[in-house]
């Protein structure tokens, strides 16, 4: 899986972006300028795998990524950078909310990897339908809304992981 790297300054920018709550009434939060969901497929391994990352193109600025194997119906979330003691995150999309425990590895750079998320979970279904996700980690909240291109990447990723 590709690991991302971003600076403490980028984390502060993300925290500031996420400080404002999403619009009331279940509407999607605004798209963060420059950020979008992008899917990459790795077919060099024995089984094909994919990564869906919320990122700024052509940078290491990537606050959250998901990974899965094709048709495996198991998705894992990861964060690089941030709190080396991180042991859980919360993901929300619409009315669906999921608390995920995970493990952190601070050997090279802090890296958090979550426990498995079922591909057909209410959170994953809501994320695919809504095109946005809210991440809460270490008390910081970041809204991650997709553009039309990003919504397509989310749909393709969920299909890749679950079919």
């Amino acid at each position: 899986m590709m690991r991302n790297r971003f600076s403490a300054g980028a984390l502060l920018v993300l925290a500031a972006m996420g400080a404002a709550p999403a619009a009331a009434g279940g509407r999607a939060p605004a798209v963060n300028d420059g950020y979008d969901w992008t899917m990459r497929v790795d077919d060099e391994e024995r089984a094909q795998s994919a990564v869906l990352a919320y990122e700024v193109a052509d940078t290491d600025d990537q606050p959250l990524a998901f990974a899965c194997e094709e048709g495996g119906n198991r998705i894992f979330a990861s964060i690089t950078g941030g709190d080396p003691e991180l042991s859980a995150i919360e993901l929300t999309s619409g009315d669906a909310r999921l608390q995920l425990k995970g493990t952190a590895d601070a050997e090279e750079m802090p890296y958090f990897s979550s426990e498995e998320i079922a591909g057909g979970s209410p959170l994953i279904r809501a994320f695919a339908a809504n095109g946005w996700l809210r991440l809460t980690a270490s008390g910081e909240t970041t809204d991650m809304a997709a553009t039309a291109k990003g919504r397509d990447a989310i749909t393709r990723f969920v299909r890749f992981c679950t079919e």
Side-chain angles (χ1 to χ4, degrees), residues 79-126:
I79 299 171
T80 300
D83 183 358
E85 303 296 320
L86 187 62
S87 62
I89 61 174
E90 182 176 278
L91 301 175
T92 305
S93 186
D95 293 332
R97 180 171 292 170
L98 183 62
Q99 189 89 22
L100 286 170
K101 293 181 181 176
T103 57
D105 177 8
E107 191 173 307
E108 207 178 293
M109 174 181 274
Y111 177 79
F112 171 84
S113 181
S114 80
E115 61 191 4
E116 127 183 359
I117 305 166
S121 73
L123 176 81
I124 296 299
R125 288 193 316 265

Side-chain angles (χ1 to χ4, degrees), residues 11-34:
L11 287 172
L12 292 173
V13 169
L14 289 172
M17 287 180 353
R27 290 178 282 144
V31 172
N32 291 318
D33 193 30

Side-chain angles (χ1 to χ4, degrees), residues 36-59:
D36 206 0
W37 290 97
T38 306
M39 179 180 166
R40 288 181 286 286
V41 176
D42 179 7
D43 59 0
E44 293 180 24
E45 298 178 9
R46 202 165 143 182
Q48 281 195 329
S49 61
V51 171
L52 178 70
Y54 188 69
E55 62 190 5
V56 174
D58 302 320
T59 73

